[in-house]
Amino acid sequence: MPRKIGFIVVNSSSHEDNFNAKELMVHAPTVNGWRSSRLCSYPQYVTLQLVERSRVRKLQLLAHQYLIPAKVEFHIGDTLPETTTSGFPGQLRRLGYVSLSDNEKTGFKARELKSVHVDAIGTYLRITFHKNHANRYNPHSQVALVAINVLGDSLDGNAFNTITELYRDSKWTLFTEMGFSVNFEMRCYSG
């Protein structure tokens, strides 16, 4: 059964003050998540280093309610891309992409939780954000990611023992972290 894979944020193409990509390493109602800089160039990206080489089975993304990328692309590999390639994945293998809703139907009040099923092995995961959906709440053409979960299987098995111990003492469990965010949002915006 796939388990949560721990990660650290290695880098990002940009960020707005108080919305650093390192916020993605913590799941809590008070966390802001990552937000690109204002009037940034596209594509934007966030690179994660998994705790160890793993078989990734599923990615869960919680999108912002109005700073929404039209398309999110995924790359995986075992070596970090060169920083001189202007965000081009280089040694990373492309897994594919998902499109996100422009969120007009909800009045920009709901956050989209997107689950992406993959089967890929690697140590580094790059998430690439393409141009934002334009809307009146996003005058600076930004994109954002509130939270991400990486689920899969350890190829070694040792790192999951450490991660499991960390979460055993926590109030947050494997699947409730993202679930809390979704439930929290639904309660806030339901009538």
Side-chain angles (χ1 to χ4, degrees):
M1 178 174 162
R3 299 179 181 179
K4 183 169 182 171
I5 300 172
F7 62 83
I8 60 167
V9 173
V10 177
N11 59 30
S12 65
S13 49
S14 74
H15 71 270
E16 186 173 8
D17 291 344
N18 299 320
F19 296 94
N20 190 301
K22 294 195 185 296
E23 290 268 317
L24 297 171
M25 297 186 316
V26 178
H27 291 159
T30 58
V31 174
N32 293 322
W34 169 79
R35 184 179 291 186
S36 69
S37 62
R38 294 177 177 203
L39 303 172
C40 61
S41 61
Y42 286 96
Q44 290 286 299
Y45 65 87
V46 173
T47 307
L48 309 178
Q49 180 180 0
L50 307 179
V51 293
E52 68 178 339
R53 192 165 191 258
S54 303
R55 177 177 296 258
V56 177
R57 303 286 187 161
K58 185 177 185 179
L59 302 169
Q60 293 178 314
L61 302 159
L62 185 60
H64 192 273
Q65 61 269 26
Y66 56 85
L67 304 177
I68 309 165
K71 179 169 96 171
V72 180
E73 199 170 1
F74 306 97
H75 294 82
I76 195 166
D78 287 314
T79 57
L80 192 60
E82 300 297 325
T83 56
T84 59
T85 59
S86 301
F88 182 73
Q91 302 92 326
L92 299 179
R93 182 173 62 93
R94 184 176 187 268
L95 297 176
Y97 71 92
V98 294
S99 298
L100 297 176
S101 167
D102 64 10
N103 213 11
E104 262 187 68
K105 290 180 181 176
T106 69
F108 307 101
K109 294 182 180 176
R111 293 178 173 172
E112 183 176 0
L113 175 61
K114 191 68 105 172
S115 291
V116 182
H117 294 273
V118 298
D119 187 6
I121 294 173
T123 308
Y124 294 94
L125 178 67
R126 174 160 286 175
I127 304 138
T128 304
F129 304 87
H130 293 270
K131 187 90 173 124
N132 65 291
H133 283 295
N135 65 65
R136 67 183 177 275
Y137 298 106
N138 190 1
H140 303 293
S141 300
Q142 293 171 275
V143 292
L145 183 62
V146 177
I148 182 167
N149 266 339
V150 181
L151 304 171
D153 303 305
S154 166
L155 295 181
D156 177 10
N158 295 331
F160 281 123
N161 296 332
T162 305
I163 293 168
T164 303
E165 289 172 20
L166 289 173
Y167 284 97
R168 188 178 299 141
D169 296 330
S170 174
K171 292 181 182 175
W172 306 101
T173 62
L174 177 64
F175 292 105
T176 58
E177 291 181 0
M178 290 295 271
F180 175 84
S181 299
V182 173
N183 290 333
F184 181 76
E185 289 302 313
M186 292 172 88
R187 280 189 297 234
C188 285
Y189 295 115
S190 62

